[in-house]
Amino acid sequence: MTYGKFAEVVLDIPLNKKFHYNIPPSFVNQVEIGKRVKVPFGRRTVVGYCVGLTNISDVKTLKDIIHVIDTTPILSSKMLAVAEWMANFYFCGLGEALESFLPSVVKKGIKSRTINVIRLCKDGISVKEMIFTIKKRAPIQVRVLEALAEVGEITFPELADISKCKMDSVNRLRDRGFITLDKVEVSDPLFAGKHFKKTSHFSSTEEQEVAIRLIKRKVRERKHSVVLLKGVTGSGKTEVYLQAISEVITLGMKAIVLVPEISLTPQTIERFKSRFDRVAVLHSSLTERQRSDQWWDIKSGNADVVVGARSAIFAPLEDVGLIVIDEEHENTFKQDTSPRYNARDVSVVRAAYENAVVVLGSATPSLESFYNTEIGKYECVTLKNRVGHKPLPRVEVIDMRREIFGGKGQKPISDYLELSMKKCLSKKEQVLLLLNRRGFSPFISCRRCGFVLKCKRCDISLTYHKKKDAVICHYCFAEEPVPRECPDCCSPGIRFTGFGTERMEELIRARFPQYNLLRMDSDTMRGRDSHEKALSAFRRGDIDILLGTQMIAKGLDFPNVTLVGVLSADTIVNLPDFRASEKTFQLLCQVAGRTGRSAKGGKVIVQTYNPEHYSITYAATHDYDGFAKKELEYRKQLYYPPYGRLARVVLRGKKDLDVKEKASDIAEKLMNAIKLSDGSLLAGLRKDKVGVLGPAPAPIVRVKDNYRWHLIVKADSFKNLHTILKSIENENRNSKKVQMMIDVDPYMLL
Ligand SMILES: [Zn+2]
Ligand SMILES: [Zn+2]
């Protein structure tokens, strides 16, 4: 044992371990829990977080802390507790969890950028006199003076542009005492030049009123609770959030609102800014400086409301009274790299430490949240009607199997949809078309031998992109030229089958040449605000037909959209994943919700080869409860979430055999953990409620030249799941040969 003054430090590595470091006397007053420190680790110097102080250590010789970065703790004790929970729940390192709490720009710090501002000297001689003294010798300097006489003050780049001068002319003028040069710090305020017209509460419907009253009461009680706000599309959930937040602020507390990244539009932000004065925004499309400013604003207590995407759940607010998760079912709240957390679940934990209320809002809640209301863990409040009692749109399902027989081969657009589009467009109304597959053609094969073109590095068929004239892998983004002949039999007959958005665009433009069409997918929406520009153009009516992937399914209402066409409802339903039905149902309901927002009404046409599938039939009748009941039955039979709990262990490496061996080794360890445990795990194993499925090759067996095997660990509670996973916790996850990834409560199993 060693005695002294030591700090417990965690580092950004996938190990849930605290390291002890000696606190040199000069740092004794500086080291505090929640501050970042620089410490030696191996041969490197790394940044870690001080999470505890101790006088005793079982390490013989401790290394010294090199430097204390923060003057005040950057992480509160509550946030450290949340991180601790994440590390234990998701099997990641505590340091890894903490790394995601601070935006990278806050971690690295931002240097203040200065710029030269040039002004005329006010005292002394006039500009005329200045020009007179140098007129003959220095025409460029004269131009500079003339420009300054006009604008007063100017930055150097602007001046250089106007008067075509170089810095040396400016320096000479300064030496003559004609002008001054001052360094000014560049700021980049987020809401510069924007004015937000203040709005007050909208008069709410009876249903909204019930929801608002319930949430307000919960907030006043200052007790941790979770409310599921189940409201159909267009039922005014945001107004409920706004009035609840208003109560929170009145009580002197603060609120966090999480929305999916894609819904974080200027309109969304405006709704909050127009109601509340001190709103901060955390968003990936902010500049580094803006992000840093917003974060420090929140940290120093200058924000009452934080609106942001997934990572805003870690916003450094004190006194949180309410956390809202809008569209709580969205998979964007689950992070797909370590730490693989779900912000929805983290929000419930954070709220518990803050004695705060969580409101989960959705038209199509996740089965997990719905189930929690069924067993009384969460409270549920429902908005059954749209604001203004507008009806939900009529949904018609088209059986595409019938469409084939009429003509030659597969039809991408049914006659009925085409006719409906014509009718709608002729009335100067707008059409929204969803096709959840980008590119021109998703399937490239040989006419003669049937060879299917796949990515050389992944087990995925390549997609043809016509504009780029290349075939692209949607997993590793590798691009290759289009083969002119079959790579297998050298026959020249290459066939492109299936429709992606790019091909559909071509087809619709040909059939509706007199109308404006805009395609919206990740290929056409590359720029910072291209998404926003496209939606504005659609809102203005400059575009008649909006065709896109699921990015068009969410967000705002367009009163003039009276027809929504789902070109293929089958892109998700056939995926080998237990959430495929749920995802299909949710996507159909979301996109259907884009229409019928005005007195003109609206209609939805769904094309499918699976017209009897329950996810489609229930979506067609807007029957969430019916769908949820049926889906829960299936989940119960298979003992999948929300009944059973899952973790996925993925192993990957360059050599298939190495990966397979490691996977078997891990499977054995996991099984032993069950067999050697006390009663409850063994009893679960006998009832098929606990177990290890696999190892098996992952559905996509090769990605980026890495072979992938996976295992699914199943248990009847998270507690038992964690007991099993403990047995592999200390495995080396980053070995050169085979890497291991643990995903607790995975979203997808592909
Ligand atoms: Zn061939
Ligand atoms: Zn690939």
Side-chain angles (χ1 to χ4, degrees):
M1 285 299 166
T2 323
Y3 299 91
K5 285 191 186 328
F6 310 131
E8 295 176 327
V9 175
V10 296
L11 307 170
D12 180 18
I13 49 173
L15 257 189
N16 200 355
K17 194 179 167 195
K18 294 166 187 169
F19 297 91
H20 288 174
Y21 284 92
N22 183 48
I23 307 174
S26 55
F27 287 149
V28 166
N29 293 325
Q30 289 177 45
V31 174
E32 265 184 89
I33 293 172
K35 283 185 179 176
R36 289 172 298 166
V37 290
K38 273 191 185 156
V39 292
F41 186 70
R43 263 172 283 169
R44 295 176 300 150
T45 300
V46 295
V47 173
Y49 300 86
C50 173
V51 296
L53 300 168
T54 177
N55 295 319
I56 179 167
S57 173
D58 49 12
V59 183
K60 258 210 177 123
T61 43
L62 285 98
K63 289 179 178 166
D64 281 357
I65 284 178
I66 298 170
H67 178 62
V68 182
I69 297 176
D70 302 307
T71 45
T72 56
I74 198 153
L75 292 160
S76 68
S77 58
K78 282 175 193 161
M79 295 310 280
L80 286 174
V82 171
E84 194 108 28
W85 175 85
M86 278 173 66
N88 290 324
F89 188 86
Y90 294 109
F91 279 83
C92 63
L94 179 54
E96 274 185 298
L98 285 171
E99 273 296 291
S100 51
F101 281 41
L102 306 179
S104 56
V105 56
V106 170
K107 272 180 282 193
K108 70 176 191 217
I110 196 159
K111 287 201 185 71
S112 61
R113 200 161 65 88
T114 57
I115 194 163
N116 279 320
V117 173
I118 300 153
R119 297 187 183 94
L120 277 173
C121 272
K122 281 276 178 287
D123 39 51
I125 56 176
S126 71
V127 182
K128 257 189 191 162
E129 287 169 287
M130 290 178 194
I131 292 176
F132 184 77
T133 56
I134 58 171
K135 199 162 71 184
K136 297 249 168 66
R137 286 159 293 149
I140 299 174
Q141 291 177 38
V142 170
R143 285 210 301 274
V144 170
L145 289 173
E146 282 167 351
L148 281 171
E150 209 161 287
V151 296
E153 63 169 59
I154 194 167
T155 64
F156 176 70
E158 290 170 304
L159 180 67
D161 189 46
I162 296 174
S163 58
K164 309 282 171 256
C165 68
K166 294 226 169 66
M167 198 59 200
D168 54 334
S169 307
V170 175
N171 284 334
R172 291 225 181 87
L173 284 167
R174 185 195 51 195
D175 296 343
R176 286 177 199 275
F178 289 175
I179 62 169
T180 60
L181 238 141
D182 301 299
K183 285 206 183 305
V184 173
E185 198 171 317
V186 181
S187 69
D188 186 9
L190 181 52
F191 301 113
K194 283 192 195 126
H195 179 70
F196 295 95
K197 207 174 133 215
K198 286 285 161 222
T199 59
S200 47
H201 294 340
F202 296 172
S203 62
S204 34
T205 65
E206 236 168 80
E207 283 183 334
Q208 283 175 319
E209 200 50 50
V210 171
I212 293 164
R213 266 206 307 273
L214 172 80
I215 299 165
K216 277 186 175 176
R217 179 165 57 75
K218 299 255 163 203
V219 167
R220 279 195 300 269
E221 284 169 4
R222 299 196 186 201
K223 246 174 38 196
H224 174 234
S225 61
V226 183
V227 177
L228 177 66
L229 178 62
K230 189 156 137 290
V232 296
T233 53
S235 60
K237 292 187 283 292
T238 308
E239 185 60 30
V240 175
Y241 307 151
L242 289 168
Q243 296 200 25
I245 292 168
S246 162
E247 178 81 1
V248 169
I249 296 174
T250 310
L251 293 168
M253 295 186 291
K254 287 160 184 178
I256 300 174
V257 182
L258 297 194
V259 301
E261 183 89 43
I262 197 149
S263 313
L264 204 47
T265 59
Q267 278 76 22
T268 308
I269 292 161
E270 189 173 349
R271 288 199 71 178
F272 289 89
K273 282 294 274 186
S274 65
R275 203 67 70 86
F276 309 112
D277 290 324
R278 307 198 312 158
V279 177
V281 177
L282 292 173
H283 188 289
S284 66
S285 77
L286 304 185
T287 65
E288 282 209 327
R289 171 157 296 278
Q290 289 170 340
R291 218 175 308 170
S292 170
D293 288 351
Q294 292 289 304
W295 195 89
W296 284 107
D297 247 15
I298 300 166
K299 174 86 179 138
S300 39
N302 291 329
D304 296 323
V305 185
V306 174
V307 183
R310 178 177 58 225
S311 62
I313 191 58
F314 306 121
L317 278 177
E318 305 275 342
D319 302 319
V320 176
L322 177 69
I323 303 176
V324 173
I325 316 285
D326 189 32
E327 309 286 353
E328 64 91 31
H329 64 277
E330 276 295 325
N331 60 345
T332 59
F333 291 124
K334 168 91 176 170
Q335 177 151 294
D336 56 10
T337 54
S338 188
R340 295 182 165 76
Y341 69 92
N342 187 326
R344 178 191 68 210
D345 301 330
V346 174
S347 79
V348 175
V349 173
R350 179 166 185 187
Y353 286 111
E354 308 262 9
N355 286 323
V357 177
V358 177
V359 173
L360 306 175
S362 175
T364 52
S366 63
L367 268 287
E368 283 86 348
S369 296
F370 178 74
Y371 179 70
N372 278 333
T373 66
E374 293 277 288
I375 59 171
K377 208 170 151 193
Y378 295 174
E379 237 169 292
C380 184
V381 54
T382 310
L383 309 177
K384 286 199 188 77
N385 297 297
R386 286 184 155 186
V387 172
H389 281 275
K390 290 181 200 97
L392 285 161
R394 195 171 77 247
V395 180
E396 295 176 50
V397 178
I398 304 296
D399 184 351
M400 294 304 278
R401 291 171 304 191
R402 296 221 178 112
E403 297 285 323
I404 308 176
F405 303 124
K408 305 169 252 159
Q410 203 179 321
K411 254 191 198 172
I413 300 183
S414 60
D415 295 341
Y416 183 65
L417 177 57
E418 196 169 333
L419 190 74
S420 303
M421 283 175 70
K422 275 183 190 148
K423 267 192 204 158
C424 166
L425 292 165
S426 67
K427 284 188 279 180
K428 298 212 162 24
E429 293 166 0
Q430 291 168 298
V431 179
L432 204 76
L433 294 176
L434 173 79
L435 179 60
N436 212 8
R437 201 190 285 131
R438 62 195 181 85
F440 188 82
S441 158
F443 203 68
I444 306 157
S445 58
C446 169
R447 278 178 203 280
R448 199 175 133 215
C449 74
F451 179 85
V452 174
L453 199 62
K454 285 192 171 185
C455 175
K456 290 193 177 73
R457 307 163 67 204
C458 313
D459 177 39
I460 280 289
S461 52
L462 292 167
T463 300
Y464 171 50
H465 286 246
K466 192 175 183 184
K467 190 170 170 226
K468 278 194 163 174
D469 194 29
V471 290
I472 300 177
C473 169
H474 285 180
Y475 265 78
C476 71
F477 306 108
E479 262 185 59
E480 287 174 38
V482 184
R484 300 299 155 201
E485 57 185 38
C486 171
D488 208 41
C489 75
C490 298
S491 128
I494 297 285
R495 173 166 47 192
F496 300 93
T497 28
F499 276 79
T501 43
E502 196 185 9
R503 188 172 192 179
M504 195 58 85
E505 176 186 5
E506 219 177 76
L507 181 102
I508 294 168
R509 277 190 198 284
R511 292 204 191 161
F512 296 90
Q514 69 274 44
Y515 296 105
N516 287 324
L517 177 144
L518 181 79
R519 185 177 111 219
M520 215 167 152
D521 55 31
S522 54
D523 295 317
T524 58
M525 297 290 124
R526 283 275 159 89
R528 188 177 278 251
D529 40 56
S530 50
H531 188 249
E532 186 43 37
K533 273 189 197 142
L535 289 179
S536 304
F538 191 58
R539 198 175 300 116
R540 279 196 309 270
D542 298 349
I543 288 154
D544 306 300
I545 306 168
L546 185 64
L547 163 70
T549 52
Q550 58 182 330
M551 66 168 68
I552 65 165
K554 291 169 195 104
L556 305 149
D557 53 289
F558 301 106
N560 200 34
V561 172
T562 56
L563 178 64
V564 167
V566 178
L567 294 164
S568 168
D570 309 321
T571 48
I572 303 174
V573 88
N574 294 326
L575 290 178
D577 192 282
F578 76 95
R579 283 198 173 93
S581 302
E582 185 183 357
K583 292 281 60 169
T584 301
F585 177 81
Q586 285 165 343
L587 183 61
L588 292 178
C589 289
Q590 291 294 330
V591 72
R594 299 308 111 220
T595 185
R597 298 285 185 124
S598 74
K600 291 174 191 162
K603 181 163 84 171
V604 182
I605 296 173
V606 176
Q607 303 190 149
T608 175
Y609 287 93
N610 301 286
E612 293 95 19
H613 195 281
Y614 65 100
S615 63
I616 291 168
T617 54
Y618 280 115
T621 49
H622 307 285
D623 184 1
Y624 174 84
D625 287 5
F627 170 78
K629 227 181 120 212
K630 180 116 183 170
E631 179 69 12
L632 282 175
E633 269 169 36
Y634 284 128
R635 301 273 181 99
K636 197 171 186 177
Q637 277 168 24
L638 298 165
Y639 216 65
Y640 272 148
Y643 298 97
R645 298 300 176 185
L646 300 181
R648 184 179 183 225
V649 182
V650 179
L651 298 128
R652 58 150 216 241
K654 297 279 176 216
K655 287 196 184 131
D656 193 31
L657 199 65
D658 291 345
V659 181
K660 192 179 163 188
E661 254 169 39
K662 181 77 183 173
S664 311
D665 176 42
I666 294 287
E668 202 180 310
K669 283 185 175 146
L670 292 166
M671 271 316 281
N672 280 339
I674 299 171
K675 285 180 188 152
L676 303 175
S677 73
D678 59 15
S680 90
L681 281 177
L682 273 178
L685 184 66
R686 277 193 296 272
K687 282 185 217 146
D688 251 356
K689 291 184 172 181
V690 171
V692 178
L693 315 176
I700 298 162
V701 70
R702 210 157 55 101
V703 172
K704 290 187 203 174
D705 272 337
N706 276 294
Y707 288 90
R708 301 157 81 237
W709 283 68
H710 74 168
L711 299 142
I712 310 289
V713 186
K714 190 161 122 178
D716 46 1
S717 67
F718 277 123
K719 189 171 158 275
N720 278 342
L721 187 69
H722 287 137
T723 308
I724 303 168
L725 289 172
K726 277 258 176 234
S727 63
I728 57 163
E729 184 180 30
N730 293 323
E731 291 285 323
N732 182 359
R733 296 188 204 181
N734 291 329
S735 102
K736 265 222 169 97
K737 251 180 163 175
V738 182
Q739 294 95 54
M740 180 177 85
M741 174 269 265
I742 301 176
D743 189 357
V744 177
D745 201 15
Y747 193 76
M748 282 282 199
L749 303 179
L750 295 178

PDB file of all heavy atoms in Angstrom, residues 455 458 473 476, ligand 2:
ATOM      1  N   CYS A 455     -19.365  -5.590 -54.147  1.00  0.00           N
ATOM      2  CA  CYS A 455     -18.179  -4.842 -53.743  1.00  0.00           C
ATOM      3  C   CYS A 455     -17.046  -5.830 -53.469  1.00  0.00           C
ATOM      4  O   CYS A 455     -17.261  -6.889 -52.903  1.00  0.00           O
ATOM      5  CB  CYS A 455     -18.483  -4.030 -52.489  1.00  0.00           C
ATOM      6  SG  CYS A 455     -17.046  -3.175 -51.832  1.00  0.00           S
ATOM      7  N   CYS A 458     -16.723  -5.738 -49.580  1.00  0.00           N
ATOM      8  CA  CYS A 458     -17.871  -6.008 -48.721  1.00  0.00           C
ATOM      9  C   CYS A 458     -18.774  -7.036 -49.386  1.00  0.00           C
ATOM     10  O   CYS A 458     -18.760  -7.207 -50.587  1.00  0.00           O
ATOM     11  CB  CYS A 458     -18.701  -4.749 -48.479  1.00  0.00           C
ATOM     12  SG  CYS A 458     -17.746  -3.315 -48.035  1.00  0.00           S
ATOM     13  N   CYS A 473     -20.369   1.210 -53.588  1.00  0.00           N
ATOM     14  CA  CYS A 473     -20.776   0.379 -52.465  1.00  0.00           C
ATOM     15  C   CYS A 473     -21.344   1.299 -51.387  1.00  0.00           C
ATOM     16  O   CYS A 473     -20.671   2.218 -50.947  1.00  0.00           O
ATOM     17  CB  CYS A 473     -19.577  -0.388 -51.912  1.00  0.00           C
ATOM     18  SG  CYS A 473     -19.910  -1.190 -50.340  1.00  0.00           S
ATOM     19  N   CYS A 476     -19.008   0.838 -47.871  1.00  0.00           N
ATOM     20  CA  CYS A 476     -17.658   1.376 -47.672  1.00  0.00           C
ATOM     21  C   CYS A 476     -17.404   2.557 -48.605  1.00  0.00           C
ATOM     22  O   CYS A 476     -16.342   3.157 -48.575  1.00  0.00           O
ATOM     23  CB  CYS A 476     -16.609   0.297 -47.885  1.00  0.00           C
ATOM     24  SG  CYS A 476     -16.438  -0.199 -49.600  1.00  0.00           S
TER      25      CYS A 476
HETATM   26 ZN    ZN B   2     -17.845  -1.983 -49.934  1.00  0.00          ZN
END
